[in-house]
Amino acid sequence: MPYRDMRDFLAALEQQNLLKRITRATDHNWEVACLAKWMYQALPVEERFGLYFQNIKGTSIPIVTGALGASPKSVALALQCDAQQINDKVAYALRHPHQPKLINSGACQEVVLTGPEARLDKLPIVTWTPGKDKAPYITTIIVTRDHDTGIRNMGVYRTMVRDPHSVVINLAPGRQGFRNVKTWNDKGKTAPIAWVIATEPAVHLATVANLPYGKDEMDFAGGLKGEPIDLVRCKTVDLKVPAMAEIIIEGEVAPEDLDDEGPFGEFAGYMGPVEKRPVGKIKAITHRKDPVFYGYTSQMPPSESTTIQSLMNAGVILQMMRDEVGDQAVHDVWIDLTFGGLLAHGIVAITPQFPGHGKRVGRTIADITTLKRITVVDADVDIRDHTHVDWALNSRFSPQRDTVVIDDCYVPIQMDPSVRDARGNVTPGSKLVLDATQKIDSGPFSLPPKELMMKALHVWKESGLPEFQIPKRAKLRIERS
Ligand SMILES: Cc1cc2nc3c(=O)[nH]c(=O)nc-3n(C[C@H](O)[C@H](O)[C@H](O)COP(=O)(O)O)c2cc1C
């Protein structure tokens, strides 16, 4: 059975020991973020869990963070598949989307606050880099739509609280949400916008996938969920939002209404600059009777943000390469979890069909994604195991011959601190493709043959040596020995 809402998913996480409750009184102005930072800065990925702060000072609304993106295990549980099958699940959902279903009423509107009642200070909005950030901000799904075509977009854009009734939204040029808002503002009209806080996990995960403009993330979410997402109409703006969400904030963006956004802790690991960004006016807050608040942990990597963006976009790239580009030799894709999204390192496994195939795949992916580094390896390398990828780079890659540097790439300056030179001037971005596929057959591996290695496992056991799970890297090597 698909999860109906975030609550269903949180219960499943708790059952698997992937969510821990904090019962002591906690301050959302600093403690929530600092504990979340320790989770990602101190614990190895396989030991991470989501945090459920059930006793937040000054409010009855609990805060959850890290639940979706603690680790591949959490994302797999959200997608109701095995961690090794996330790419397959994403590719399947892209091939089998479900359009959403409009229903008359939904839990997200059990309480409706409009006008002066719709105050952001009623919500426990977290300060994510306490001591350094200008203000608290919301990190959640934002829904917009094109004025003329009705094309909907969902994306996560940091939303700074300016006062109880207005926000400044980090809608940067180039983002699809920005493009949708512009279609209204260019006609002198206010654009409708809605923030969706804590709904079924498929919607959250679909939102962070970088889909081409025009592909509706809500249809993709339905594909991930295995059934249409139920939507309701917003109360004060012309948008539809998930019926089972915990909290919806409805708002409008007026033309040429900009304000300073930031400084804030950024995903690359530094404090970002102040930029002029669109102002949003809050029209309504609707919520369930006893809502739960959710905020993604982002900023200094690794984070929940890098984890979910890496895992979702790897599947999207795999599907694009196979279905849209038509290259069936692309076998698997992985994006390093420590730096998801823009500027990340993608690793691609292929079965090369001709000389130069590795470079071609690397260049294509560099062009159609925001990845900054792409390493291409053969399908006999476990791309999720960096020691195995490093082995391929050491034994199958000759830097002078197998490197492609792609220059003059557009990178939003504020997003990539490395594009400044020693004098602080902005230089164009660039990308790196490393083709670590085998160029010639180097012969058999320097391991004993498979039957001897398997026989030796019995000897290992009988000798009372500690048990182990055979790593995929070893399996792949023994298969070829
Ligand atoms: C926690 C989190 C915070 C994010 N914050 C921003 C942001 O402030 N601005 C931005 O442009 N992208 C941000 N992103 C990335 C976008 O949400 C993501 O790339 C999305 O797919 C963009 O959608 P679009 O291509 O439809 O515009 C964030 C992602 C996550 C997971």
Side-chain angles (χ1 to χ4, degrees):
M1 282 285 286
Y3 304 114
R4 270 173 320 156
D5 53 18
M6 178 58 82
R7 294 168 191 213
D8 266 3
F9 172 57
L10 296 179
L13 281 172
E14 238 174 331
Q15 256 188 1
Q16 304 282 323
N17 220 8
L18 289 170
L19 182 74
K20 298 216 189 293
R21 284 177 188 259
I22 284 95
T23 52
R24 75 192 282 281
T26 317
D27 189 337
H28 66 279
N29 296 312
W30 72 277
E31 286 172 305
V32 167
C34 291
L35 293 194
K37 302 297 171 200
W38 276 121
M39 167 71 56
Y40 287 95
Q41 297 303 314
L43 297 193
V45 60
E46 59 281 3
E47 288 175 24
R48 289 182 202 143
F49 43 83
L51 292 166
Y52 190 119
F53 296 91
Q54 62 183 47
N55 185 3
I56 297 292
K57 288 180 190 167
T59 173
S60 59
I61 304 177
I63 298 175
V64 181
T65 189
L68 284 153
S71 70
K73 268 189 284 183
S74 317
V75 172
L77 195 69
L79 296 176
Q80 299 181 296
C81 68
D82 192 78
Q84 296 287 328
Q85 295 165 341
I86 294 173
N87 277 354
D88 294 340
K89 182 90 193 205
V90 169
Y92 182 87
L94 289 167
R95 290 172 191 140
H96 302 92
H98 284 290
Q99 285 187 3
K101 194 171 88 199
L102 185 64
I103 59 172
N104 289 331
S105 63
C108 70
Q109 293 173 339
E110 282 170 354
V111 177
V112 177
L113 304 169
T114 54
E117 282 281 283
R119 295 181 63 93
L120 292 170
D121 52 7
K122 290 187 175 163
L123 301 175
I125 300 173
V126 175
T127 302
W128 288 104
T129 312
K132 295 184 180 169
D133 275 0
K134 179 174 175 182
Y137 63 83
I138 303 164
T139 59
T140 196
I141 303 158
I142 292 188
V143 183
T144 55
R145 75 180 169 81
D146 183 290
H147 177 275
D148 304 319
T149 63
I151 289 175
R152 175 176 27 227
N153 182 252
M154 294 199 292
V156 181
Y157 314 110
R158 180 176 64 215
T159 300
M160 177 185 110
V161 178
R162 192 170 75 153
D163 59 53
H165 299 289
S166 74
V167 292
V168 187
I169 315 157
N170 189 24
L171 273 176
R175 287 302 197 198
Q176 296 177 15
F178 176 90
R179 181 168 165 175
N180 274 351
V181 165
K182 196 168 178 302
T183 61
W184 297 77
N185 289 172
D186 282 354
K187 294 180 172 64
K189 296 183 181 176
T190 56
I193 189 162
W195 291 259
V196 178
I197 298 175
T199 190
E200 54 263 75
V203 179
H204 284 268
L205 292 175
T207 299
V208 296
N210 287 311
L211 301 188
Y213 186 72
K215 264 205 178 171
D216 190 343
E217 285 93 359
M218 202 70 88
D219 297 357
F220 174 41
L224 290 173
K225 188 177 178 183
E227 61 181 40
I229 306 294
D230 284 342
L231 301 183
V232 287
R233 284 188 197 286
C234 284
K235 294 289 181 187
T236 59
V237 293
D238 190 6
L239 288 172
K240 295 167 201 147
V241 287
M244 295 305 280
E246 296 289 328
I247 303 168
I248 303 289
I249 304 172
E250 304 178 7
E252 277 178 350
V253 180
E256 287 168 40
D257 190 3
L258 304 175
D259 201 353
D260 287 346
E261 200 257 0
F264 288 120
E266 268 285 3
F267 77 102
Y270 302 92
M271 295 302 292
V274 178
E275 301 279 345
K276 289 279 181 213
R277 293 284 185 247
V279 169
K281 297 275 169 60
I282 306 307
K283 304 265 294 173
I285 298 177
T286 73
H287 62 80
R288 293 171 77 151
K289 280 194 190 116
D290 47 351
V292 175
F293 189 86
Y294 197 105
Y296 300 112
T297 299
S298 181
Q299 310 85 38
M300 174 59 84
S303 68
E304 175 169 33
S305 164
T306 63
T307 309
I308 54 181
Q309 292 195 72
S310 291
L311 290 167
M312 294 310 292
N313 284 314
V316 172
I317 295 168
L318 180 63
Q319 187 269 344
M320 279 205 288
M321 287 305 290
R322 292 180 71 95
D323 298 3
E324 319 287 343
V325 177
D327 194 336
Q328 300 302 319
V330 179
H331 176 75
D332 203 1
V333 178
W334 175 250
I335 300 176
D336 182 4
L337 296 186
T338 60
F339 216 116
L342 195 78
L343 319 179
H345 179 198
I347 302 133
V348 189
I350 70 166
T351 309
Q353 304 295 310
F354 49 82
H357 200 165
K359 277 189 187 169
R360 189 173 86 163
V361 167
R363 277 200 203 98
T364 307
I365 294 179
D367 267 353
I368 62 178
T369 69
T370 61
L371 296 179
K372 186 167 175 176
R373 270 186 302 152
I374 296 116
T375 303
V376 187
V377 296
D378 294 280
D380 65 354
V381 173
D382 179 4
I383 55 175
R384 288 164 183 76
D385 180 338
H386 69 91
T387 65
H388 208 183
V389 174
D390 267 351
W391 168 80
L393 279 166
N394 289 329
S395 67
R396 295 176 173 177
F397 166 78
S398 176
Q400 205 272 333
R401 182 194 61 196
D402 298 327
T403 303
V404 183
V405 177
I406 304 170
D407 58 8
D408 288 331
C409 301
Y410 169 72
V411 186
I413 307 152
Q414 77 281 7
M415 295 281 187
D416 184 354
S418 72
V419 298
R420 289 185 191 273
D421 66 16
R423 291 205 168 84
N425 300 318
V426 174
T427 58
S430 60
K431 295 187 179 215
L432 184 66
V433 172
L434 306 178
D435 175 9
T437 57
Q438 217 174 197
K439 314 300 175 306
I440 51 150
D441 184 358
S442 306
F445 284 157
S446 51
L447 272 173
K450 184 178 172 186
E451 63 272 20
L452 283 186
M453 287 298 283
M454 298 315 283
K455 216 163 130 187
L457 277 183
H458 299 291
V459 184
W460 178 281
K461 213 169 169 185
E462 281 162 18
S463 310
L465 294 171
E467 282 189 29
F468 60 80
Q469 287 254 328
I470 306 177
K472 189 171 173 191
R473 157 185 86 241
K475 270 191 204 145
L476 288 165
R477 286 172 170 169
I478 290 165
E479 277 309 316
R480 263 198 57 177
S481 296

